[in-house]
Amino acid sequence: MQRLALVAVAFFAACAPIDDDGNIDTDIQGLTGAARRPRLQRIRDVAAAAGLTNGVLLAGIAQVETGLSHCWSEATWACRGPNSTSCGGGPVIAGASDGPCSAQQGGLGMFQFDGGNFSQTLARDGRDILTLDGNIRHAVDFVVTIVDQEVAGVDNRAEALAWMNGMTVARTDARFTRWVAILACRYNGACGSASQAARYRDATLSVQSEVGAAFWRICAPSTEVCNGRDDDCDGRVDDGIAAVSCGVGACRRTASCTGGRMATCTAGRPVAEVCNGVDDDCDGRVDDGIAAVSCGVGACRRTVSCTSGRMAACVPAAARAEACGNGADDDCDGMIDEGCAGDAGAPLRDAGAMVGDAGAPADAAGTRDGGVAGDDAGASDAGGESDAGASDDAGESDDGGAEDTDAAVTDEDGGEPTVDESLVDVAPTEVTTCDVGAAGSRGGARGSIVAALVLGAVATQRSRRRRR
């Protein structure tokens, strides 16, 4: 970047009309007539090629500094500077307010670059400033620098160009007012000078109206890109450039063109998914994997899930009276069919085994009740068959089934046993099992055996008496 000296630039010899700030009195000096339009056009085109499409801003500076003159031949009252090809090999215009022309001091060319004497200025800015186009390009670089330094929010060349290109040249425009104040301070060294700011303002408005506002909208249309320029020549810089997006769901981010630069797009970081209608974990699905919520028990149990970004309140159903036999917890107390009566058709429990029942269970001692003959069990039938196996005292069976023989029941003396008739006065039909008790009762079982043995003995004795 090339810098102009921040001191008053007085460039002309004592014979030249110079104002109190060291500038040419542009009402008297500078290019006139037909020579002005080509010079304004050159400023416009070279500035646009360097990125400044609002070239009238430079034209206003050139009008204040030299009245658009670049070569000594266009202002012979000035000092002669170094020779230039843009001047037909002749000298460029040079300022002389810093001393006599022989001292070779003051600014060079249309925009008056001044680094001390001629040699020092050329050493700093290069010989390119001696050409008309080079002088314009260096002027663009200089205003980019001062805007970058003076305007808040402008941090680079592209942003500085965008700030200037977006400016409206009008007395009522706040940015234009700020612009001429910057020029008065940084270009002319008259910081805070309202009169010098007004000079730049009036000169700029003058050259704009001289050729018309449309004249300054020079552009070769191309696709608009993010570069701080009006590429499509619609008067707007970096317009219509699509933003760049990255990431999905809550992680989605968007970067746009700002100050002639496209910001880097960096996706956000995923977080745990919650029920809010947002893809929090950034997997492309909204409210996924969120567990349903249940409440209540039995028939009152209800379940709610995340729907449309909201988790409904879980409210259990109302309990009702328990209904028997439906397998449901109707009253919602965690138990099914409680308090219901048993099945009326279920069999009752057995009160005990009956004496003489062949299927009765054994008593506690293991002796079975079944098989003991009743009062008819051992009697001979009409055909004279003997009884079938009453046991003697020794427990041995007699000759079961021997035809026309006695049962051989004897007492210890070999005779017939003596039976106390009083023990059998009760008819056999009066002996029942009602007094025996429950099956397995030790006392009841033994009583049954004794009664059976007595009845058997009586029956045998009576049978023998009849045969006798």
Side-chain angles (χ1 to χ4, degrees), residues 83-374:
N83 294 335
S84 170
T85 57
S86 297
C87 299
V92 298
I93 192 173
S97 61
D98 292 337
C101 292
S102 60
Q104 297 189 346
Q105 294 181 340
L108 300 177
M110 184 167 55
F111 288 98
Q112 290 291 285
F113 289 100
D114 188 354
N117 59 33
F118 296 168
S119 296
Q120 291 170 329
T121 300
L122 294 177
R124 186 193 68 180
D125 299 330
R127 295 192 65 85
D128 189 47
I129 64 168
L130 298 178
T131 67
L132 179 61
D133 289 2
N135 206 267
I136 296 170
R137 286 192 294 268
H138 277 69
V140 173
D141 291 342
F142 180 75
V143 296
V144 164
T145 298
I146 61 176
V147 167
D148 186 7
Q149 292 172 347
E150 294 291 333
V151 178
V154 174
D155 298 313
N156 52 56
R157 180 183 180 88
E159 292 176 354
L161 288 169
W163 188 85
M164 291 185 286
N165 290 334
M167 186 186 306
T168 300
V169 178
R171 289 178 179 272
T172 58
D173 186 75
R175 186 178 296 188
F176 181 59
T177 300
R178 175 83 173 114
W179 162 253
V180 296
I182 291 172
L183 292 180
C185 181
R186 298 298 302 275
Y187 205 101
N188 193 261
C191 297
S193 173
S195 62
Q196 191 61 31
R199 183 182 291 273
Y200 282 112
R201 180 198 65 203
D202 294 343
T204 305
L205 292 170
S206 176
V207 293
Q208 177 176 255
S209 62
E210 179 180 342
V211 290
F215 174 86
W216 297 103
R217 298 193 189 105
I218 180 65
C219 187
S222 61
T223 302
E224 192 81 3
V225 295
C226 183
N227 58 3
R229 300 180 185 179
D230 179 18
D231 302 290
D232 57 3
C233 307
D234 64 352
R236 296 175 295 171
V237 175
D238 293 340
D239 61 300
I241 297 176
V244 175
S245 297
C246 56
V248 297
C251 300
R252 185 177 179 84
R253 297 292 184 270
T254 301
S256 58
C257 179
T258 304
R261 293 189 306 175
M262 181 64 76
T264 301
C265 188
T266 303
R269 300 180 63 180
V271 296
E273 194 80 4
V274 295
C275 182
N276 58 1
V278 177
D279 178 16
D280 304 285
D281 57 3
C282 309
D283 64 353
R285 298 174 295 171
V286 175
D287 294 342
D288 59 301
I290 298 176
V293 175
S294 296
C295 57
V297 296
C300 300
R301 184 176 178 81
R302 293 294 181 268
T303 301
V304 295
S305 59
C306 179
T307 305
S308 300
R310 295 180 59 190
M311 181 67 78
C314 190
V315 179
R320 56 182 183 271
E322 191 76 12
C324 296
N326 63 356
D329 178 15
D330 304 286
D331 58 1
C332 309
D333 63 353
M335 297 182 292
I336 296 175
D337 292 348
E338 77 278 9
C340 295
D343 188 352
L348 300 175
R349 291 178 56 85
D350 192 346
M354 301 296 287
V355 175
D357 185 355
D363 61 11
T367 305
R368 296 182 61 85
D369 298 314
V372 179

Side-chain angles (χ1 to χ4, degrees), residues 22-41:
N23 299 296
I24 299 172
D25 185 348
T26 54
D27 292 335
I28 300 174
Q29 301 295 325
L31 293 181
T32 60
R36 290 181 61 81
R37 188 178 182 92
R39 184 60 50 85
L40 292 174
Q41 182 175 334

Side-chain angles (χ1 to χ4, degrees), residues 8-26:
V9 182
F11 3 17
F12 303 105
C15 58
I18 301 174
D19 63 17
D20 294 337
D21 294 316
N23 299 296
I24 299 172
D25 185 348
T26 54

